[in-house]
Amino acid sequence: MQRRKEKLANDIVLEILRSQGLETPLLQRRLLAAWDTTVGATIARYTGEKFIKNQTLMVKITNPALRADMNMIRTELKDKLNHAIGAQVISEIKFY
């Protein structure tokens, strides 16, 4: 009698997502959803449009002073966002 390798449901779902090319878009959506909780309510209030293009998170900050402050901590923020979803999705953040 042969013994089958058991797989976790999570692993099976990830295999299906990878084979269909849907893993990266899913991770990107999770990262965008994690923005408000990662930066906090005060900063989220001044956040406009945000999207990911070529592994760069583009975020519109409506307050110029806050935009300058965010530029100083963008590397730390990038690491926090990637850590929040458990994958290396973005390599850079740009504020406009």
Side-chain angles (χ1 to χ4, degrees):
M1 190 171 214
Q2 286 185 330
R3 185 173 183 148
R4 295 182 182 183
K5 267 189 162 178
E6 294 179 9
K7 291 184 178 181
L8 296 174
N10 188 34
D11 295 337
I12 294 170
V13 170
L14 283 176
E15 285 179 22
I16 293 170
L17 288 172
R18 280 187 192 127
S19 69
Q20 299 296 318
L22 299 173
E23 182 183 25
T24 301
L26 176 65
L27 291 173
Q28 289 176 347
R29 297 276 292 173
R30 286 182 180 171
L31 188 129
L32 292 173
W35 173 263
D36 290 349
T37 57
T38 303
V39 299
T42 304
I43 296 173
R45 189 173 342 135
Y46 294 103
T47 300
E49 181 183 15
K50 53 189 179 292
F51 60 93
I52 299 173
K53 183 176 181 180
N54 297 331
Q55 292 187 328
T56 301
L57 175 61
M58 306 292 287
V59 182
K60 182 175 185 174
I61 303 291
T62 58
N63 184 315
L66 180 60
R67 188 179 321 121
D69 290 344
M70 297 295 285
N71 271 317
M72 289 189 278
I73 62 165
R74 67 181 179 204
T75 302
E76 179 184 341
L77 189 55
K78 171 193 63 109
D79 294 338
K80 282 184 179 181
L81 286 166
N82 282 327
H83 181 70
I85 60 164
Q88 182 72 28
V89 176
I90 57 171
S91 58
E92 188 177 352
I93 299 177
K94 290 187 179 179
F95 300 102
Y96 65 97

